Amino acid sequence: MKVIAVLNQKGGVGKTTLSINIARALQQGEFNVVLIDADPQGSARDWNDANDAQVLPVMGFDRKSLPMDIKNISGYDFAIVDGAPQTKELAIAAIKAADIVLIPVQPSSLDIWATNDLLNLIRERQEMTDGQQPKAAFIVSRQIQNTTVGNEVRSVLAESGIKVFESGTFQRIAYSSIMTTGKTVFESQDEKAIDEIVKITNELGAFINE
């Protein structure tokens, strides 16, 4: 089972939305997927309640024993971990459990600076595993249409030495509405949002196999 943690210690970057939609995209690709809500706020569990647990299996593991909790799960191809913001101990646990860490970042200087602590934690873990685990990549999220800021941010993020996905998300009503309705973009009418998630998931698949 591959464990993919979606982490950012800054809130409001679209972490939970990305986790849910990537999980659904993988599920539609005929993979068995479980969504792990590692955030004490329980946003993914609230989303799951809104759809009566009919879309994805969701488990709540918002504790430091996350790596062991995930090891005890069987029967899935992927575990997508929706990580907690502002909690160093839970971030360390998620990084330890992960094969891949995806870091959603909004296109602003403040958001870029806010990733420094998380990157340090990832690098510390990589040093312990001789650089084998986890692999990490940025995803530029909530970009504004018809601006070049997203590409400019990618150039800045690339200077960190961490991979930056070419695909990302834009600000769309579909992403905010699905959280209250318990749906994903695949149940929406927003073809552009669907295309964004499909491209991110395809790029994730290629990254896993690099």
Side-chain angles (χ1 to χ4, degrees):
M1 181 177 70
K2 289 291 185 182
V3 180
I4 300 165
V6 184
L7 303 177
N8 193 319
Q9 290 177 281
K10 184 179 184 301
V13 297
K15 177 177 53 60
T16 300
T17 301
L18 196 61
S19 300
I20 289 167
N21 284 290
I22 289 176
R24 180 65 167 148
L26 288 168
Q27 186 187 60
Q28 291 196 329
E30 305 300 322
F31 292 106
N32 291 323
V33 184
V34 61
L35 179 63
I36 306 296
D37 189 348
D39 187 346
Q41 293 181 356
S43 297
R45 279 167 280 182
D46 290 341
W47 170 86
N48 196 43
D49 289 342
N51 65 56
D52 296 322
Q54 295 300 304
V55 180
L56 289 163
V58 178
M59 300 181 183
F61 294 147
D62 50 3
R63 53 202 182 201
K64 291 186 290 184
S65 59
L66 178 65
M68 187 58 64
D69 293 334
I70 290 178
K71 282 185 178 180
N72 290 330
I73 298 172
S74 61
Y76 295 100
D77 301 305
F78 290 96
I80 309 298
V81 179
D82 178 23
Q86 301 176 343
T87 308
K88 183 177 180 179
E89 288 183 342
L90 293 181
I92 291 172
I95 292 167
K96 184 178 180 180
D99 298 297
I100 303 286
V101 175
L102 299 179
I103 310 167
V105 181
Q106 292 187 107
S108 77
S109 298
L110 288 176
D111 283 72
I112 294 171
W113 295 333
T115 65
N116 287 336
D117 289 343
L118 179 60
L119 291 182
N120 288 335
L121 294 177
I122 291 170
R123 288 174 177 133
E124 287 173 8
R125 179 62 184 172
Q126 288 172 336
E127 288 176 2
M128 295 175 64
T129 63
D130 294 324
Q132 299 299 309
Q133 186 173 319
K135 294 167 67 175
F138 288 110
I139 297 177
V140 181
S141 66
R142 304 184 68 180
Q143 301 166 80
I144 300 173
Q145 290 281 2
N146 302 318
T147 68
T148 61
V149 177
N151 289 332
E152 292 169 359
V153 167
R154 284 182 177 85
S155 297
V156 174
L157 291 172
E159 294 175 3
S160 68
I162 301 295
K163 182 179 178 66
V164 185
F165 277 17
E166 293 181 9
S167 47
T169 64
F170 286 81
Q171 292 188 14
R172 301 188 189 281
I173 294 174
Y175 290 122
S176 57
S177 64
I178 63 172
M179 292 306 300
T180 55
T181 59
K183 297 180 181 179
T184 72
V185 294
F186 296 98
E187 289 77 54
S188 76
Q189 302 299 314
D190 193 328
E191 295 297 330
K192 291 183 178 179
I194 294 171
D195 185 57
E196 287 169 6
I197 296 300
V198 168
K199 286 180 177 177
I200 289 170
T201 306
N202 288 342
E203 194 165 355
L204 170 61
F207 185 50
I208 290 171
N209 294 318
E210 284 181 0

